[in-house]
């Protein structure tokens, strides 16, 4: 457990920080359990309402100085954060794996995502462009510019306990905002470690307290942020139910939200597909992170012509999956986050049976040596109908649904789109026509649409998010930065007269 020392994570930690300062928190003490073996890693004292108020006050005060820094200077500080993450990559990756339960390779990959988004944010700091427009009035110039919003609240989920914070925080910071992070109470130590890293860089650059802040708490922390008019933007990643609650509270005060919520992602496999490629994309998409990604592949929509052949290949591969300690690189699948997640998984299996589903790979909870935490389950595969209630909802576990389609690609696209969520989607095909149809306005209704790769994961260069019950928000790359800023249209009159727009005359 040397990685805890490397990351300055103690056996008992405060869960409230304004940077280098860790406040004496007044909330309950939270124990962080590893789903790998069920052991207590460390404890965190959570925030009380008074602690939260102190953090917001500090973040507001810091905003004035931070936003006054030239954007490239803010980018330089984030560049240094990226360098610090490179130094701590191995340790932080191990903490992610140990506290969340994903494989070590995925833990290291998540930290690499943080490094990548820091590089992106550095470049972005010199590209916060506005546009110039031609005025209809002579001697006038029109343009738009972008200004920082203020204090940004970031609510993250347990499944990506560090990367999603960085997507939001690094972009928000180079845009001139200060940030308050409310991490999942299931992975609080990852937040403590990240705050230690960024706080050291900020202090080295003589930045004031309050630029980067953390409040570890239960659900109430998200409620404080959502209902607080001092918070200019809430970026929330999690379940659709949580997103609706955040949107309602922020909407009541006309606050801004950026929501990245659940997914129910499908891969369409057509007769034109390379089945080996389709198999590779389907397997990782379905069992990576033990099915606990918002981009996890939950449905395979397979043409009847190749259905039985593909199912046979899939069953053979599932028979070779190794389940166990995620820090052992020989294993493919680690544990679910906790025993509550296991209960949700078991309830889903029962719902599938009651609806009439047929399991071609049986599921169940694992017990015995190596599975003492009670958090390990079997990845399973079931033949279902797309319209069933259990198929329509997201279960955060390694359950893969097989759905047969007949006739044209139109039928497959209708099945894929026929769920409330709209995050990630994919088609496996060697046909240019099928690929283009899938990507057209009449094709996938998801925020992410892929051809000949799976649904799981995304590169930081593209905007990440989805439609419908997925919330409509976009994080990370492309022009997602605009969500963290306010647009201002400006007109300058450099003439010696004052003409009105639209030719309006007003003589007195």
């Amino acid at each position: 457990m040397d990685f805890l020392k490397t990351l300055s994570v103690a056996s008992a930690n405060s869960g409230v920080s304004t940077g280098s300062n860790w406040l004496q928190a007044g909330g309950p003490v939270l124990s962080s359990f590893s789903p790998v073996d069920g052991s207590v890693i460390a404890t965190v004292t959570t925030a009380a309402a008074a602690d939260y108020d102190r953090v917001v006050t500090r973040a507001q005060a810091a905003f004035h100085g931070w936003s006054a820094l030239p954007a490239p200077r803010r980018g330089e500080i984030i560049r240094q954060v990226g360098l610090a993450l490179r130094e701590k990559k191995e340790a932080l990756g191990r903490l992610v794996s140990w506290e969340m339960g994903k494989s070590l390779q995925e833990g290291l990959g998540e930290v690499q995502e943080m490094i990548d988004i820091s590089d992106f944010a550095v470049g972005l700091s010199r590209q916060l462009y506005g546009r110039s427009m031609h005025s209809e009035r002579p001697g006038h110039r029109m343009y738009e510019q972008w200004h920082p919003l203020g204090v940004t609240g970031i609510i993250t989920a347990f499944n990506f306990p560090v990367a999603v914070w960085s997507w939001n925080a690094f972009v928000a910071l180079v845009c001139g905002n200060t940030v308050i992070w409310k991490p999942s109470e299931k992975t609080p130590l990852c937040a403590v470690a990240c705050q230690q890293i960024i706080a050291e860089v900020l202090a080295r650059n003589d930045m004031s307290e309050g630029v980067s802040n953390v409040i570890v708490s239960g659900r109430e922390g998200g409620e404080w942020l959502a209902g607080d008019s001092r918070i200019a933007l809430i970026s929330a990643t999690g379940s659709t139910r949580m997103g609706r609650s955040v949107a309602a509270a922020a909407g009541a005060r006309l606050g801004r939200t950026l929501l990245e919520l659940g997914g129910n992602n499908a891969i369409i496999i057509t007769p034109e597909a390379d089945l080996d490629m389709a198999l590779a994309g389907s397997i990782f998409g379905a069992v990576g992170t033990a099915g606990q990604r918002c981009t996890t592949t939950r449905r395979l929509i397979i043409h009847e012509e190749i259905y039985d052949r593909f199912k046979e290949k899939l069953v053979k591969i599932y028979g070779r999956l190794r389940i166990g300690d995620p820090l052992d690189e020989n294993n493919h699948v680690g544990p679910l986050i906790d025993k509550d997640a296991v209960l949700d998984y078991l309830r889903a299996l029962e719902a599938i049976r009651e609806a009439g589903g047929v399991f071609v790979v049986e599921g169940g909870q694992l017990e015995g040596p190596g599975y003492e935490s009670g958090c390990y389950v079997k990845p399973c595969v079931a033949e279902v109908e797309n319209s069933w209630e259990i198929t329509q909802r997201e279960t955060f576990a390694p359950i893969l649904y097989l759905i047969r389609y007949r006739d044209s690609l139109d039928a497959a696209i209708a099945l894929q789109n026929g769920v409330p969520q709209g995050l990630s989607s994919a088609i496996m095909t060697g046909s240019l026509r099928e690929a283009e149809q899938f990507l057209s306005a009449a094709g996938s209704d998801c925020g992410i649409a892929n051809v000949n790769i799976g649904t799981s994961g995304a590169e930081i260069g593209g905007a990440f998010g989805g439609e419908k019950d997925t919330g409509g928000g976009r994080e990370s790359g492309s022009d997602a930065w605009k969500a963290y800023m306010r647009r201002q249209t400006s007109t300058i009159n450099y003439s010696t007269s004052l003409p009105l727009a639209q030719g309006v005359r007003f003589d007195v």
Side-chain angles (χ1 to χ4, degrees):
M1 304 293 282
D2 287 347
F3 58 84
L4 295 176
K5 184 177 179 181
T6 301
L7 298 168
S8 301
V9 175
S11 58
N13 305 271
S14 168
V16 184
S17 171
T18 58
S20 298
N21 292 340
W22 292 84
L23 283 60
Q24 187 172 348
V29 175
L30 175 68
S31 294
S32 177
F33 292 88
S34 172
V36 177
D37 66 356
S39 64
V40 175
I41 308 171
T43 64
V44 179
T45 305
T46 61
D51 304 324
Y52 166 78
D53 192 64
R54 290 166 66 188
V55 168
V56 176
T57 300
R58 185 65 257 174
Q60 284 183 298
F63 170 70
H64 300 291
W66 180 253
S67 61
L69 280 180
R73 172 67 178 137
R74 299 192 296 259
E76 163 58 19
I77 292 172
I78 297 302
R79 185 189 70 82
Q80 295 174 35
V81 175
L83 293 177
L85 286 168
R86 285 173 169 87
E87 294 173 2
K88 302 288 178 67
K89 178 179 176 178
E90 177 72 22
L92 187 55
R94 285 188 173 275
L95 175 58
V96 169
S97 182
W98 192 251
E99 188 175 33
M100 186 269 150
K102 64 175 59 176
S103 73
L104 179 57
Q105 285 302 306
E106 290 183 86
L108 295 170
E110 186 170 346
V111 181
Q112 185 61 49
E113 249 186 294
M114 302 176 77
I115 294 167
D116 293 344
I117 197 67
S118 71
D119 291 347
F120 178 88
V122 173
L124 178 63
S125 69
R126 294 181 181 270
Q127 299 179 78
L128 302 174
Y129 297 134
R131 68 174 62 189
S132 177
M133 293 82 77
H134 289 279
S135 173
E136 66 184 59
R137 290 168 284 185
H140 286 61
R141 179 167 70 89
M142 286 180 65
Y143 70 99
E144 65 183 23
Q145 57 185 343
W146 297 83
H147 294 305
L149 278 175
V151 181
T152 298
I154 303 170
I155 301 171
T156 59
F158 72 85
N159 58 332
F160 279 84
V162 297
V164 173
W165 166 72
S166 69
W167 291 359
N168 286 275
F170 295 175
V171 174
L173 287 166
V174 297
C175 288
N177 305 301
T178 55
V179 297
I180 300 175
W181 182 14
K182 190 275 179 200
S184 169
E185 60 271 32
K186 298 181 180 183
T187 50
L189 300 180
C190 286
V192 171
C194 289
Q195 180 72 347
Q196 297 278 18
I197 292 169
I198 193 171
E200 183 178 329
V201 174
L202 289 167
R204 194 164 61 238
N205 285 271
D206 296 321
M207 294 296 108
S208 66
E209 292 288 305
V211 174
S212 175
N213 307 271
V214 167
I215 56 158
V216 175
S217 71
R219 177 177 177 175
E220 65 277 6
E223 293 172 346
W224 294 334
L225 286 165
D228 192 340
S229 60
R230 296 173 294 179
I231 307 301
L233 170 70
I234 297 286
S235 178
T237 302
S239 69
T240 298
R241 182 179 63 180
M242 179 276 291
R244 286 196 175 102
S245 176
V246 168
R253 60 177 178 85
L254 297 180
R256 296 191 187 201
T257 57
L258 191 166
L259 303 176
E260 201 288 288
L261 310 175
N264 192 350
N265 316 295
I267 299 177
I268 296 172
I269 304 174
T270 83
E272 302 294 326
D274 179 324
L275 294 192
D276 290 334
M277 185 182 293
L279 189 65
S282 300
I283 291 290
F284 178 74
V287 305
T289 324
Q292 296 173 111
R293 292 183 177 218
C294 52
T295 55
T296 289
T297 304
R298 310 218 176 269
R299 297 174 295 143
L300 295 184
I301 301 170
I302 310 167
H303 193 275
E304 62 178 356
E305 182 181 317
I306 56 171
Y307 184 92
D308 290 333
R309 189 154 37 110
F310 189 82
K311 181 174 71 172
E312 182 180 352
K313 288 176 175 283
L314 191 70
V315 170
K316 286 181 180 178
I317 289 288
Y318 264 70
R320 298 206 295 265
L321 291 175
R322 291 186 295 272
I323 308 163
D325 182 348
L327 275 75
D328 181 345
E329 295 187 24
N330 292 312
N331 292 325
H332 301 104
V333 184
L336 295 180
I337 184 64
D338 56 24
K339 292 179 181 179
D340 286 341
V342 173
L343 288 176
D344 286 343
Y345 162 86
L346 295 174
R347 291 189 193 104
L349 298 191
E350 186 59 32
I352 294 166
R353 292 189 183 95
E354 290 179 356
V358 176
F359 284 91
V360 297
V361 177
E362 289 287 344
Q365 184 177 5
L366 292 166
E367 298 175 342
Y371 306 126
E372 291 85 357
S373 69
C375 297
Y376 292 87
V377 301
K378 299 176 185 177
C380 61
V381 182
E383 295 178 299
V384 302
E385 295 294 332
N386 199 63
S387 59
W388 292 350
E389 190 275 336
I390 184 60
T391 316
Q392 290 282 305
R393 72 172 189 251
E394 178 186 46
T395 301
F396 234 48
I399 303 173
L400 180 61
Y401 300 126
L402 302 186
I403 301 165
R404 188 190 304 260
Y405 83 93
R406 302 168 181 83
D407 305 321
S408 68
L409 181 58
D410 290 332
I413 291 173
L415 288 169
Q416 192 231 259
N417 293 347
V419 293
Q421 308 84 358
L423 178 53
S424 188
S425 59
I427 187 171
M428 295 291 181
T429 180
S431 165
L432 177 62
R433 286 176 175 165
E434 287 183 335
E436 290 294 340
Q437 180 180 347
F438 180 76
L439 297 176
S440 73
S444 170
D445 65 0
C446 295
I448 299 169
N450 298 327
V451 176
N452 291 331
I453 62 171
T455 65
S456 188
E459 296 183 34
I460 59 95
F464 183 90
E467 303 302 323
K468 302 188 297 188
D469 279 4
T470 303
R474 294 296 187 275
E475 299 170 329
S476 191
S478 185
D479 65 349
W481 62 270
K482 293 180 179 179
Y484 304 87
M485 305 195 81
R486 59 183 177 88
R487 186 196 310 249
Q488 184 179 80
T489 302
S490 300
T491 306
I492 300 171
N493 178 5
Y494 59 90
S495 73
T496 56
S497 61
L498 189 61
L500 301 177
Q502 292 83 48
V504 173
R505 296 177 63 91
F506 188 74
D507 298 323
V508 292

